[in-house]
Amino acid sequence: MASVVPLRGLVIFLCLLHLCVQGIQGVNTVCLAKMTQYFYDKVQPKTKNGTDTQYALSIYLPPAHCVDRRANIENKFDDAQAAQVKALLNNHAKCELCTKPKNVIASRTVLTHDNKVEHSEHVLLYPVGKSLMDELLAKARHESCVVFYSYNSPCVETCLQSADNILEGLRNWINKRKGKMNAFVFQEIWQKDLDEDLETEFKRIDAIVPLYRCMRNSEEMKCRKCVENNVMDSFCLPNRK
């Protein structure tokens, strides 16, 4: 019986090591696909004519939800909570840790008090140090997985190249969670960026936070990491026909 305790300790150590490695290397793309499909089915806001519209959402979850494909996001963000977030977004309001678990923030693009357009990603990430993302991270447990989802890829002109770009906000996020499980996920390519040098711009994001794309194909969501060893996966770029 004396050998059982060390063996049990070894098993626990190996499990923790596995989660640690997953956190450094990235999340499971099958998990991200299930998560993104859920966001699309349950949260995706619509325009007045019923088409999908841009929004951003961030959520923190137990690490298993990002590495174990058997995990169900509904256990931490159920249908009623998702409907609550969707209703706010459809009314052009923000979810500021609005659900009971206080593990979700979300926003559409908004008009500021001086009638300037603030893109949804920027709404969640700024002002740095006092943002909704900072509030979310303050509540996230040390070992949590944090996923930032944007329906469209961040626009090049405003989100990545202007004085109001989101890169500092992304650095602020990662500086608070170095070596942890983090993922920036987008679904569609922003239509006005189809002729931009997206490979260069997406690599700038991935240099800060692991970038993934989840895309519906024949009603099935598929996800891939956009950059590996500085090589861009064409899955994350516009389809050139």
Side-chain angles (χ1 to χ4, degrees), residues 83-95:
Q84 179 184 354
V85 175
K86 183 174 182 176
L88 287 170
L89 294 173
N90 279 331
N91 285 318
H92 296 272
K94 292 179 281 188
C95 169

Side-chain angles (χ1 to χ4, degrees), residues 110-164:
V110 302
L111 281 177
T112 63
H113 64 278
D114 52 357
N115 288 324
K116 292 183 179 179
V117 174
E118 184 178 11
H119 291 209
S120 54
E121 304 97 309
H122 197 276
V123 173
L124 299 187
L125 293 166
Y126 288 80
V128 169
K130 298 181 180 179
S131 67
L132 289 177
M133 191 66 170
D134 286 300
E135 293 182 23
L136 181 82
L137 296 177
K139 291 187 174 296
R141 292 182 177 179
H142 187 65
E143 69 276 14
S144 297
C145 174
V146 174
V147 175
F148 189 104
Y149 168 79
S150 176
Y151 175 68
N152 286 303
S153 58
C155 69
V156 170
E157 182 178 1
T158 301
C159 292
L160 299 179
Q161 293 186 350
S162 77
D164 291 326

Side-chain angles (χ1 to χ4, degrees), residues 207-226:
I208 303 171
V209 56
L211 180 66
Y212 298 80
R213 184 183 187 185
C214 293
M215 182 169 54
R216 287 181 300 135
N217 184 8
S218 301
E219 300 305 316
E220 182 181 12
M221 193 72 74
K222 294 282 189 181
C223 297
R224 291 189 195 172
K225 191 173 185 305
C226 292

Side-chain angles (χ1 to χ4, degrees), residues 9-23 143:
L10 178 61
V11 171
I12 293 172
F13 171 77
L14 291 174
C15 289
L16 291 174
L17 179 62
H18 170 71
L19 288 176
C20 180
V21 170
Q22 287 284 358
E143 69 276 14

Side-chain angles (χ1 to χ4, degrees), residues 42-95:
K42 304 294 183 178
V43 182
Q44 178 65 50
K46 305 287 185 178
T47 62
K48 289 182 178 179
N49 62 10
T51 59
D52 299 332
T53 190
Q54 166 61 16
Y55 82 105
L57 175 153
S58 190
I59 185 170
Y60 72 83
L61 296 161
H65 285 72
C66 289
V67 295
D68 185 350
R69 63 184 65 192
R70 297 168 299 177
N72 292 314
I73 189 174
E74 295 95 323
N75 294 333
K76 297 298 178 180
F77 183 42
D78 64 28
D79 287 0
Q81 293 160 0
Q84 179 184 354
V85 175
K86 183 174 182 176
L88 287 170
L89 294 173
N90 279 331
N91 285 318
H92 296 272
K94 292 179 281 188
C95 169

